[in-house]
Amino acid sequence: MGLPRPRPGRNDLVQLHSLTTTTTDPHERGSLIGSRFGGQVRRTAELYLGHFAALGIGPSRARAVAERSHRALRAWSPGLAAESDACADAAGIERWKVAAVGARTEILAACPPAGAGECSTAVFAPAGAVPETVQTWTGTSRSCRTRCCTTSRPDPDAP
């Protein structure tokens, strides 16, 4: 059974944006994402902050959790933190707001369970190989209907 085809006038389907790059520099990759998808980055952050607020998590609490999570990310993977910061800078949004999207699970943990879940993520990061991730989304009526898939291929001839 295939995926349903979009019907004219329907705006509830997810739109997938993609970016493929050969850069291995996290700052450059983040700048590319923020430059190309700045509107989507800003809108996604706005929607998540609104979602958090609807669940009783105000902006100061969301910011505190996002900044703490971002510090932990920087300690664990400086490149990912640099990519996030560069994306925010290029998109023209405060860095903590992009960090809040990345730390959405940690922020959601700050409120009582509200029913349906957010998402499930799996990461495969073998030593000496390119990590791979997959994420499934449960979604809510308030969730953003756009997604961005980025692929970094240092070797442009790699599959």
Side-chain angles (χ1 to χ4, degrees):
M1 174 176 238
L3 295 173
R5 292 178 162 244
R7 287 182 258 159
R10 288 196 57 184
N11 64 0
D12 60 343
L13 298 176
V14 172
Q15 182 179 7
L16 179 63
H17 303 277
S18 64
L19 170 70
T20 301
T21 179
T22 58
T23 185
T24 58
D25 179 77
H27 185 270
E28 184 178 342
R29 191 170 44 245
S31 292
L32 286 169
I33 296 166
S35 295
R36 175 129 357 132
F37 304 113
Q40 291 89 349
V41 169
R42 291 186 301 276
R43 179 71 176 141
T44 298
E46 175 188 343
L47 289 169
Y48 268 107
L49 291 173
H51 181 63
F52 301 150
L55 295 173
I57 305 167
S60 62
R61 178 76 173 131
R63 182 177 186 155
V65 174
E67 288 176 341
R68 186 173 62 241
S69 179
H70 197 64
R71 284 191 301 274
L73 176 65
R74 186 172 307 288
W76 177 72
S77 179
L80 287 176
E83 182 176 317
S84 174
D85 290 344
C87 177
D89 294 345
I93 187 173
E94 293 175 84
R95 289 178 174 186
W96 76 267
K97 291 181 179 180
V98 171
V101 174
R104 61 194 171 274
T105 301
E106 292 81 355
I107 294 169
L108 290 170
C111 73
E118 162 77 1
C119 63
S120 299
T121 303
V123 178
F124 177 63
V130 176
E132 296 181 42
T133 65
V134 64
Q135 190 168 42
T136 59
W137 293 81
T138 303
T140 67
S141 62
R142 292 186 182 101
S143 67
C144 183
R145 294 296 184 206
T146 63
R147 304 287 185 258
C148 179
C149 175
T150 60
T151 305
S152 181
R153 292 192 176 117
D155 177 357
D157 297 323

